[in-house]
């Protein structure tokens, strides 16, 4: 431990774009599963948020949700399609925020692909419910925070750092450009 400079933090900034960004987004979304879905995010105005489950993330980084056509968020998206999504995979790692544009679709084939029986809680007529829509979020940018070596290594480094007074930061963070 003598070789570690107590005043020198580890390098933890790594901005990503393109395929690397899509891979990181998919990884973090898989850990979280759900997000806070924010609409009406115009600067200076109160925004709306609600928890929603991602049904699919494609190879271009688009995120897909099932939603009711008469829901508050669908109505808000029709007025302002810009959204923010906030993900948390655990208490200590895997945080992600994404900004993008929401598109509303009634594509029956896509609804069938994304459908699962638990959705009947919100769509009582099943996948043929006339209120069901698909929200496709075309993410454009974001920011992530994660661990470099996984939760266990990060935890051990935190313990050692606390015991020795040494900076052993195992975090990695950066901008995401899709």
């Amino acid at each position: 431990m003598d070789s570690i400079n107590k005043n020198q933090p580890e390098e933890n900034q790594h901005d990503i774009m393109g395929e690397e960004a899509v891979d990181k987004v998919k990884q973090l979304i898989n850990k979280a599963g759900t997000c806070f879905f924010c609409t009406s995010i115009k600067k200076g105005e109160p925004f709306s948020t609600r928890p929603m489950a991602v049904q699919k993330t494609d190879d271009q980084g688009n995120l897909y949700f099932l939603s009711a056509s008469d829901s508050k968020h669908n109505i808000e998206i029709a007025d302002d399609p810009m959204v923010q999504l906030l993900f948390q995979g655990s208490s200590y790692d895997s945080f992600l925020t994404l900004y993008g544009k929401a598109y509303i679709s009634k594509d029956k084939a896509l609804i069938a692909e994304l459908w699962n029986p638990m959705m009947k809680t919100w769509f009582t007529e099943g996948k043929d419910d006339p209120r069901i829509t698909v929200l496709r979020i075309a993410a454009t940018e974001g920011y992530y925070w994660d661990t470099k070596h996984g939760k266990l290594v990060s935890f051990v480094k935190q313990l050692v750092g606390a015991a020795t007074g040494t900076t052993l930061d195992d975090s990695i963070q950066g901008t995401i450009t899709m």
Side-chain angles (χ1 to χ4, degrees):
M1 290 287 176
D2 291 334
S3 65
I4 297 175
N5 180 344
K6 291 184 179 188
N7 298 319
Q8 183 66 29
E10 293 183 22
E11 177 61 43
N12 70 345
Q13 182 72 29
H14 180 66
D15 298 335
I16 55 178
M17 59 187 347
E19 189 175 327
E20 183 181 13
V22 171
D23 290 345
K24 182 55 113 176
V25 164
K26 284 178 150 183
Q27 173 196 16
L28 295 176
I29 288 172
N30 284 338
K31 286 182 183 180
T34 60
C35 68
F36 283 106
F37 191 110
C38 306
T39 53
S40 297
I41 62 170
K42 293 176 184 173
K43 189 174 183 175
E45 295 181 16
F47 60 90
S48 299
T49 189
R50 77 279 305 148
M52 291 186 71
V54 178
Q55 300 303 309
K56 174 184 171 181
T57 307
D58 68 20
D59 291 336
Q60 289 73 46
N62 292 300
L63 290 76
Y64 296 85
F65 300 82
L66 293 179
S67 179
S69 59
D70 58 352
S71 67
K72 182 178 179 184
H73 47 279
N74 273 46
I75 293 166
E76 290 172 342
I77 288 168
D79 182 50
D80 174 14
M82 300 311 294
V83 298
Q84 180 181 16
L85 309 176
L86 304 163
F87 296 88
Q88 179 177 352
S90 79
S91 298
Y92 301 102
D93 70 347
S94 307
F95 302 97
L96 173 67
T97 182
L98 292 173
Y99 291 93
K101 188 172 181 181
Y103 298 88
I104 301 171
S105 168
K106 286 199 165 241
D107 182 323
K108 294 293 184 191
L110 192 51
I111 291 169
E113 176 187 340
L114 301 174
W115 180 259
N116 75 60
M118 291 300 293
M119 296 305 249
K120 203 161 184 183
T121 301
W122 296 276
F123 304 105
T124 56
E125 295 181 42
K127 64 183 173 186
D128 296 319
D129 192 307
R131 296 172 43 250
I132 195 167
T133 65
V134 174
L135 300 180
R136 177 178 63 89
I137 309 306
T140 55
E141 62 184 328
Y143 203 86
Y144 75 98
W145 302 263
D146 203 5
T147 60
K148 293 177 190 172
H149 304 102
K151 204 181 316 186
L152 180 60
V153 171
S154 179
F155 180 68
V156 170
K157 287 178 96 174
Q158 286 175 9
L159 290 176
V160 172
T164 64
T166 305
T167 299
L168 295 174
D169 186 1
D170 194 55
S171 68
I172 187 77
Q173 61 184 301
T175 60
I176 291 175
T177 305
M178 303 297 269

